[in-house]
Amino acid sequence: DAKTTQPPSMDCAEGRAANLPCNHSTISGNEYVYWYRQIHSQGPQYIIHGLKNNETNEMASLIITEDRKSSTLILPHATLRDTAVYYCIVRVGQGGKLIFGQGTELSVKP
Amino acid sequence: KAGVTQTPRYLIKTRGQQVTLSCSPISGHRSVSWYQQTPGQGLQFLFEYFSETQRNKGNFPGRFSGRQFSNSRSEMNVSTLELGDSALYLCASSRWTGGDEQYFGPGTRLTVT
């Protein structure tokens, strides 16, 4: 089972920041938090990942709480093309296995 | 740099048949993972190959198998197809196994009739 909990859906106005929360209260000290998104009928797209420090790249920012039990993905200026299902994943041990939950369906509206 | 490619993109098979799907990873990537996506079960991990060796396996029956070649290209095979095998099959590649971001291909849409 997935080790994360996300709201099933969220709306965001175009041009505004989209803040997507994720709870991972059972995360272990050496487990990373990864975010992917999947636009309808396409393969998932890697967004960002982090261990305990906040991270930022050209797509998004990742804020991880000090106790590491939750995190927030921030899309600073959401566009209609950001409409997708966003998955928060805690990397389980070593190896290439990603365990996807149900994700958050983000709808960006004009 | 070219992304992950999967062939074929669409496939229709009949129950009882077998199917082989192909995945070419990003150049320089040595790990290939396979996932199945269905409306009911979501995205589920099938297996991962690194340096021609299976490193991880998900909870799927033995009808699902795979292999990886020396050039890192990978194939997965499903034998004795069932209606429930209808799904989007996704391949992802990464440079190494473990702790590295994966890049997904567009998937192969398999329909079993």
Side-chain angles (χ1 to χ4, degrees):
Chain A
D1 290 342
K3 297 178 66 174
T4 62
T5 304
Q6 299 177 253
S9 63
M10 291 182 63
D11 290 340
C12 178
E14 188 178 21
R16 303 297 295 270
N19 297 281
L20 292 93
C22 179
N23 286 318
H24 32 79
S25 58
T26 61
I27 191 170
S28 299
N30 62 348
E31 290 180 320
Y32 286 75
V33 179
Y34 279 73
W35 283 83
Y36 284 78
R37 73 180 182 184
Q38 187 174 26
I39 297 170
H40 183 63
S41 297
Q42 298 182 21
Q45 177 188 23
Y46 166 80
I47 301 174
I48 198 168
H49 74 281
L51 182 63
K52 54 183 178 180
N53 296 321
N54 298 338
E55 302 288 344
T56 296
N57 63 20
E58 64 278 3
M59 287 183 66
S61 294
L62 174 60
I63 308 298
I64 303 174
T65 58
E66 194 167 339
D67 63 8
R68 303 213 322 126
K69 293 185 177 182
S70 66
S71 60
T72 301
L73 177 74
I74 301 173
L75 307 178
H77 305 287
T79 70
L80 298 179
R81 289 179 295 177
D82 292 322
T83 292
V85 178
Y86 287 76
Y87 296 97
C88 170
I89 299 165
V90 169
R91 196 66 174 263
V92 181
Q94 296 299 310
K97 181 177 182 178
L98 294 174
I99 299 180
F100 288 83
Q102 296 304 309
T104 295
E105 186 167 6
L106 175 68
S107 296
V108 181
K109 300 180 185 299
Chain B
K1 187 189 282 190
V4 177
T5 58
Q6 293 187 244
T7 56
R9 293 292 312 279
Y10 302 91
L11 203 52
I12 300 175
K13 290 287 188 178
T14 304
R15 273 180 301 175
Q17 290 185 316
Q18 74 168 14
V19 66
T20 299
L21 311 181
S22 180
C23 172
S24 292
I26 292 172
S27 177
H29 284 195
R30 295 171 58 190
S31 171
V32 173
S33 297
W34 289 89
Y35 295 82
Q36 180 197 65
Q37 185 171 29
T38 60
Q41 299 297 319
L43 271 157
Q44 293 185 287
F45 173 79
L46 279 158
F47 29 64
E48 181 210 6
Y49 286 86
F50 180 78
S51 293
E52 303 177 65
T53 302
Q54 189 179 88
R55 296 300 178 106
N56 281 285
K57 189 176 189 305
N59 295 324
F60 280 82
R63 299 185 298 106
F64 292 81
S65 63
R67 60 177 175 169
Q68 187 181 33
F69 302 95
S70 57
N71 62 358
S72 295
R73 190 178 69 84
S74 177
E75 290 181 347
M76 67 163 284
N77 183 276
V78 187
S79 62
T80 319
L81 283 166
E82 301 176 359
L83 295 179
D85 297 332
S86 295
L88 180 66
Y89 290 88
L90 292 155
C91 161
S93 78
S94 60
R95 288 173 297 173
W96 307 104
T97 179
D100 200 4
E101 58 264 31
Q102 297 183 9
Y103 295 89
F104 284 78
T108 293
R109 173 74 63 183
L110 172 65
T111 301
V112 182
T113 63

